[in-house]
Amino acid sequence: MCGIVGYIGDKNATDILLNGLESLEYRGYDSAGISVLSGGHILLCKERGRLSNLREKVAATDISGNIGIGHTRWATHGAPTQINAHPHANKAGDIVVVHNGIIENYEVLREELKNEGYEFISETDTEVVPHLIDYYYNGDLREAVTKTISRLIGSYALCVISSREDGKIVVAREGSPLIIGLGKGENFIASDIPAVLSYTKDFYLLNDGDVAVITENSVDITDKNGAPSPKDIYHVDYSAEDATKGDYEHFMLKEIFEQPAAIKRTLIGRIDENLQIDPVEMNKEFFEKVDRLYIVACGTAYHAGLVGKRAIETLAGIPVEVDLASEFRYRGPLISEKTGVILISQSGETADTLAALRLAHTYGSPVLSITNVVGSSVARESDYVFYTYAGPEIAVASTKAYTTQLVALYLTAVAAAEITKKTPQNLLDFFKKEILSLPEKVTEVLNLNDDVKKLAERIYKELDVYFLGRGLDYSVALEASLKMKEISYIHSDTYASGEIKHGPIALIDDGTVTIAIITDKQISGKTLSNMKEVIARGAFTVGFASPDCEDCEKTFDVYFKLPKSSPLLAPVAAIVPLQLLAYHVSCLKGCDVDKPRNLAKSVTVE
Ligand code: G6P
């Protein structure tokens, strides 16, 4: 969740750390800190609040050196104060540590260390780490770190520097991402590639259990047994510019407008204009092994999974259950070697999703992951991987990751259908053509931006907004509602439209904003009837509907026409104006669109 950066070389570490942390702020942003090793001394500077606060403080204190570590925090243990900010140090201040993850047994360790005379100044779980390293230090920092991590239960990505051993950074990983960027006469460490992408495109991706000692000219990695753990170099082919805002005011807006291009990238190499799909890229083998499926994910990715269930069941006739990863992992799921598990994760690092993957493997279930981040933990541990290739998604609220996940799921459903042969070929070809036309449909719907902004002006002062839909429209409504609450802090709920009369309608009053999504002609009349029920109670109603909804124009106070689409594929275009709506409402309310309060992009804790 938190962001980590490290540098060792001949440049000023301070600049590299601060710039790296800036690009990682989406991972956590309630406090930040850096520590550098200079002339055999450790210097440390940390501050609560956004990185800009730290920048000001650093500028006033003139910290510089060639070795350093930095951290941007998303608080788990202890409030977001300056004292709880990382790095954390031992009492002498000659061992400093930044940490991402959670040390679950920190209370036991804390008591043990207190009995040994160690004093604690913060409320964090992390502070046990520098004290343990101090306790175990016997002239070898790597050994002290190795002994320390053998005592830790939980998850961690750790970076350690010490003035007792100048010229090196020691890092360790278990359950939280950590990569090493390779330079000439310099090396970099980060929790995520964009942090150091302006300096290098070559990386080592650490595995759980790895410990590495990094100097300016060497990287020495050992695995959990202490054996050498050589790594292939992972070369990144996107540029630092891809992870910048360009001319857009916010990453979220840029990412919304990037969706046609992102979807094209998801399609390339998977399906050609002759409607042939690549069997390897499409993981057809996975579907030969299974007779039922679980789709498991969190947040937006879970909402994509709801659509995926419908696509796979409709086209391939394979029964699918969809579960939240945080539920799946503790429910004792009824799965076996014949149950395929499809994991969806933009980052590929979400703790619950990763745990679900590992659980599935203990049952012998084959795992196919749909992820955006090449080389992520989920990708590396899965049996089959489908990369969405959406490009870096920086805004905390997920947009292009969602629509490309939908496209990946449609293609996956088609691949499964080619195995099960449950859909006649001509119908399958029709769907394939429709899938290929999705980039144009998204381009078309982006033209609604100005009108959506006007709607945002009408509703941005509201306290509650309700979303309704049936079938796939309900799945889209869930995602639309999540976007609204995440970035505008407006209370928002979603109901399957048939359920509104079973309780929620009590919430409808004069002017209550109720937004309906209607893309399936066969059931549009039903949702319209439900809308009439809320209209009768005074609701202000907004419809996002396909052009064949004859009564929509006269039913809704505000009505947006979506592009014509088969109902199964309609969610891709339908969500786009709703992403824009949340975006404009957030801007009008003066919220921090890209970094909404309390949230983080990649949730690497339970
Ligand atoms: C966080 C993000 C969401 C995301 C969810 C799952 O909550 O803020 O946008 O949908 O994690 O993330 P994943 O990387 O696994 O898709």
Side-chain angles (χ1 to χ4, degrees), residues 216-425:
E216 57 185 18
N217 289 311
S218 66
V219 178
D220 176 16
I221 309 173
T222 46
D223 67 14
K224 56 178 70 153
N225 303 314
S229 177
K231 300 270 182 281
D232 292 334
I233 291 179
Y234 168 57
H235 182 77
V236 167
D237 56 10
Y238 58 85
S239 69
E241 289 71 50
D242 291 336
T244 63
K245 275 191 281 209
D247 292 334
Y248 287 89
E249 204 178 329
H250 296 103
F251 278 110
M252 185 179 177
L253 191 62
K254 176 182 176 231
E255 288 159 9
I256 291 173
F257 275 86
E258 273 175 355
Q259 289 179 107
I263 292 171
K264 277 186 195 156
R265 284 199 298 275
T266 310
L267 294 171
I268 286 171
R270 274 66 187 260
I271 180 166
D272 61 24
E273 63 271 23
N274 300 320
L275 308 181
Q276 296 304 307
I277 63 168
D278 183 307
V280 177
E281 277 287 323
M282 296 308 310
N283 304 295
K284 272 185 146 180
E285 191 187 87
F286 170 79
F287 292 100
E288 280 159 5
K289 298 181 175 169
V290 303
D291 55 20
R292 50 190 283 266
L293 292 166
Y294 251 100
I295 296 179
V296 183
C298 302
T300 288
Y302 169 77
H303 294 157
L306 297 173
V307 177
K309 168 186 165 78
R310 178 65 70 89
I312 294 169
E313 288 186 338
T314 306
L315 297 181
I318 303 174
V320 185
E321 284 198 52
V322 191
D323 213 348
L324 294 161
S326 54
E327 293 292 314
F328 177 84
R329 60 185 292 195
Y330 296 116
R331 118 168 30 264
L334 298 173
I335 56 175
S336 69
E337 316 84 64
K338 295 288 282 173
T339 316
V341 174
I342 299 180
L343 294 170
I344 311 171
S345 175
Q346 187 286 128
S347 63
E349 301 293 349
T350 301
D352 284 319
T353 311
L354 198 50
L357 188 162
R358 290 172 182 162
L359 180 72
H361 272 161
T362 65
Y363 288 87
S365 305
V367 174
L368 161 65
S369 62
I370 294 175
T371 182
N372 192 32
V373 179
V374 178
S376 58
S377 302
V378 164
R380 281 187 282 160
E381 293 190 29
S382 297
D383 306 301
Y384 303 90
V385 184
F386 188 117
Y387 287 115
T388 49
Y389 298 127
E393 190 181 66
I394 307 294
V396 167
S398 187
T399 53
K400 64 176 179 173
Y402 172 75
T403 45
T404 53
Q405 283 160 359
L406 294 184
V407 172
L409 286 159
Y410 291 136
L411 289 173
T412 297
V414 166
E418 290 200 348
I419 304 261
T420 61
K421 308 219 177 311
K422 286 278 162 63
T423 300
Q425 195 58 45

Side-chain angles (χ1 to χ4, degrees), residues 39-288:
H41 296 286
I42 298 258
L43 306 172
L44 196 149
C45 184
K46 50 193 192 176
E47 194 51 282
R48 61 168 299 169
R50 292 295 162 92
L51 191 71
S52 49
N53 300 358
L54 179 69
R55 273 192 188 278
E56 276 173 32
K57 195 164 175 187
V58 167
T61 46
D62 190 28
I63 287 183
S64 63
N66 302 129
I67 303 174
I69 55 178
H71 188 267
T72 176
R73 182 169 184 245
W74 187 87
T76 58
H77 294 65
T81 60
Q82 196 237 358
I83 285 185
N84 288 336
H86 298 216
H88 288 283
N90 62 334
K91 189 168 183 191
D94 57 2
I95 296 171
V96 286
V97 172
V98 292
H99 165 225
N100 176 15
I102 290 182
I103 313 292
E104 290 168 10
N105 60 335
Y106 80 101
E107 278 169 334
V108 177
L109 295 170
R110 213 172 152 110
E111 283 315 302
E112 188 182 312
L113 285 160
K114 276 187 186 165
N115 291 337
E116 294 289 338
Y118 286 89
E119 289 166 23
F120 285 80
I121 55 169
S122 80
E123 303 158 273
T124 64
D125 52 337
T126 304
E127 202 187 347
V128 296
V129 179
H131 292 315
L132 274 175
I133 296 172
D134 180 283
Y135 178 76
Y136 285 119
Y137 187 81
N138 196 8
D140 184 340
L141 189 60
R142 176 205 281 259
E143 190 185 292
V145 170
T146 305
K147 283 187 174 155
T148 296
I149 60 176
S150 73
R151 301 293 318 283
L152 306 179
I153 298 174
S155 61
Y156 49 81
L158 292 170
C159 279
V160 185
I161 54 173
S162 172
S163 53
R164 298 183 198 178
E165 292 188 31
D166 206 344
K168 67 175 71 158
I169 303 178
V170 180
V171 305
R173 168 198 161 139
E174 180 69 44
S176 293
L178 203 61
I179 54 103
I180 299 171
L182 307 170
K184 286 206 170 64
E186 60 183 357
N187 286 308
F188 307 82
I189 299 140
S191 45
D192 209 352
I193 286 170
V196 292
L197 198 53
S198 11
Y199 309 104
T200 180
K201 291 192 161 196
D202 291 328
F203 296 91
Y204 288 146
L205 311 175
L206 294 184
N207 292 331
D208 279 352
D210 283 346
V211 175
V213 177
I214 299 150
T215 70
E216 57 185 18
N217 289 311
S218 66
V219 178
D220 176 16
I221 309 173
T222 46
D223 67 14
K224 56 178 70 153
N225 303 314
S229 177
K231 300 270 182 281
D232 292 334
I233 291 179
Y234 168 57
H235 182 77
V236 167
D237 56 10
Y238 58 85
S239 69
E241 289 71 50
D242 291 336
T244 63
K245 275 191 281 209
D247 292 334
Y248 287 89
E249 204 178 329
H250 296 103
F251 278 110
M252 185 179 177
L253 191 62
K254 176 182 176 231
E255 288 159 9
I256 291 173
F257 275 86
E258 273 175 355
Q259 289 179 107
I263 292 171
K264 277 186 195 156
R265 284 199 298 275
T266 310
L267 294 171
I268 286 171
R270 274 66 187 260
I271 180 166
D272 61 24
E273 63 271 23
N274 300 320
L275 308 181
Q276 296 304 307
I277 63 168
D278 183 307
V280 177
E281 277 287 323
M282 296 308 310
N283 304 295
K284 272 185 146 180
E285 191 187 87
F286 170 79
F287 292 100
E288 280 159 5

Side-chain angles (χ1 to χ4, degrees), residues 5-11 13 16-17 66-68 169 186-188:
V5 189
Y7 175 75
I8 184 161
D10 57 2
K11 300 198 179 83
I16 293 167
L17 297 179
N66 302 129
I67 303 174
I169 303 178
E186 60 183 357
N187 286 308
F188 307 82

Side-chain angles (χ1 to χ4, degrees), residues 459-467 480-495 504 507 512-513 515 585 589 597:
I459 69 169
Y460 79 99
K461 290 187 180 153
E462 297 292 330
L463 299 178
D464 310 285
V465 175
Y466 296 98
F467 289 87
S481 170
L482 178 66
K483 289 291 88 85
M484 185 64 83
K485 57 173 92 77
E486 273 182 311
I487 60 168
S488 77
Y489 319 142
I490 292 181
H491 164 254
S492 163
D493 261 338
T494 313
Y495 297 102
L507 299 165
T512 307
V513 177
I515 299 175
V585 168
K589 288 191 72 178
R597 69 184 181 203

